[in-house]
Structure formats: C-alpha cells, structure tokens
C-alpha cells in the first residue's frame, strides 16, 4: 500500500511539473496575446504586464523546484498558492465580473470556465493531500527540523 501511495505521489508531482511547464510554454509561445488577455480582465488590467511576466516566471520556477527533493516542499506550497490564486480568480470572474475574458490556452482551452474551476479545485485538494501525507516532505517534519536548528543556534549547549 505504501509503495502505491509513494508512486502515486511521484506521478502527481510529475503531472504538476508538466502542467506548469506546459502552461508557461503555452503562454510564452504567444506572449503578446497572453498579455492582452490579462489586460482584458476586469480584475487584473491595472497590473497586466507585471502579472503576465510573474505568472510565466513563477510557473517555470515552481516546476523547477518540484524537480528536486530539497526544494520540493517549498515548491508544493508555491504550487498550491498559484493554483489557489488561479482558482479564486476564476471564481471571482464567474460570480462577480460583468465580463468573462478569453479562456486559457493549450489543452485547458477546451474546458469551460466552470470545468476549469473544478479542475483547479481538485488539483488544489490533491496538492494538500500530498503535502500532508508525504513523510519526506511533510510540513511538520520540515518545521521541526528548522526549529531544532534554529533553537540550537539560540540556546547554548550545557
């Protein structure tokens, strides 16, 4: 059972890497169009250029972080943060915006906004599950290791 769970976690992390690399490359191949779509958003238009660059760079950096064991936990947290932000954005657009801008590019272009919202929500839940259940990257062990090293610097040994 543990082996299946471990393989599933790795497969999902590989999926996250592919998802973000694909999304970033898809945006980069038609970056001007992506910037225009961000600028058309009623919620993001004031910061369109910054958001366009930050999104692409962030997706690539997070994908890279997920590739290495040392940075995987932080990468998972950033991945969860990005996916949560994307999910909240879609929710706000669908429920509070008078105008719904163009859909995402690539594979997700075929999804409607509601399907995209559900997809993102499921990915967020799966990410939380991976963070909580993985012994190698559990947030508790990360915090405990950090606290021990921090306390060893602050408290003198007797």
């Amino acid at each position: 059972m543990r082996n299946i769970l471990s393989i599933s976690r790795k497969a999902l992390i590989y999926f996250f890497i592919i998802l973000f690399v694909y999304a970033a490359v898809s945006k980069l191949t038609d970056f001007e169009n992506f910037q225009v779509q961000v600028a058309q958003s009623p919620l993001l238009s004031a910061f369109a250029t910054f958001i366009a660059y930050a999104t692409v760079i962030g997706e690539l950096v997070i994908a890279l972080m997920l590739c290495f064991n040392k940075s995987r936990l932080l990468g998972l947290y950033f991945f969860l943060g990005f996916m949560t932000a994307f999910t909240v954005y879609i929710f706000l657009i669908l429920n509070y915006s008078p105008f719904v801008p163009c859909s995402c590019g690539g594979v997700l272009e075929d999804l409607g906004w509601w399907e995209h919202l559900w997809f993102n929500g499921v990915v967020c839940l799966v990410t939380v599950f991976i963070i909580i259940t993985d012994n190698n990257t559990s947030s508790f062990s990360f915090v405990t290791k950090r606290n021990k090293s921090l306390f060893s610097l602050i408290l003198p040994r007797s």
Side-chain angles (χ1 to χ4, degrees):
M1 179 68 177
R2 252 187 192 174
N3 197 22
I4 293 172
L5 197 56
S6 175
I7 291 170
S8 298
R9 282 188 199 110
K10 285 180 183 178
L12 288 166
I13 289 171
Y14 292 144
F15 170 72
F16 296 163
I17 293 167
I18 291 167
L19 180 68
F20 265 24
V21 169
Y22 176 78
V25 169
S26 175
K27 290 174 180 103
L28 281 173
T29 55
D30 195 8
F31 191 71
E32 288 180 28
N33 186 39
F34 173 61
Q35 277 185 300
V36 168
Q37 288 180 349
V38 173
Q40 289 175 344
S41 169
L43 301 175
L44 306 176
S45 60
F47 308 102
T49 302
F50 172 77
I51 289 173
Y53 281 102
T55 300
V56 172
I57 292 168
E59 287 172 341
L60 291 173
V61 168
I62 291 167
L64 188 63
M65 290 175 77
L66 292 174
C67 292
F68 302 101
N69 286 331
K70 287 192 174 226
S71 60
R72 185 163 293 145
L73 177 64
L74 188 57
L76 284 168
Y77 279 116
F78 282 137
F79 180 84
L80 179 61
F82 262 55
M83 289 304 295
T84 301
F86 296 152
T87 306
V88 168
Y89 169 75
I90 292 170
F91 178 81
L92 292 173
I93 286 292
L94 287 173
N95 290 296
Y96 300 105
S97 176
F99 170 71
V100 178
C102 294
S103 180
C104 291
V107 174
L108 295 179
E109 187 174 27
D110 294 335
L111 293 179
W113 281 90
W114 285 102
E115 291 86 4
H116 200 140
L117 181 69
W118 279 102
F119 173 82
N120 285 10
V122 169
V123 169
C124 287
L125 291 175
V126 168
T127 306
V128 169
F129 176 77
I130 290 172
I131 290 170
I132 290 172
T133 61
D134 191 356
N135 292 334
N136 296 329
T137 60
S138 76
S139 57
F140 178 74
S141 67
F142 176 76
V143 170
T144 304
K145 288 177 189 173
R146 286 282 186 216
N147 287 342
K148 282 183 183 176
S149 64
L150 191 66
F151 286 130
S152 66
L153 291 173
I154 297 171
L155 299 174
R157 294 184 183 189
S158 12

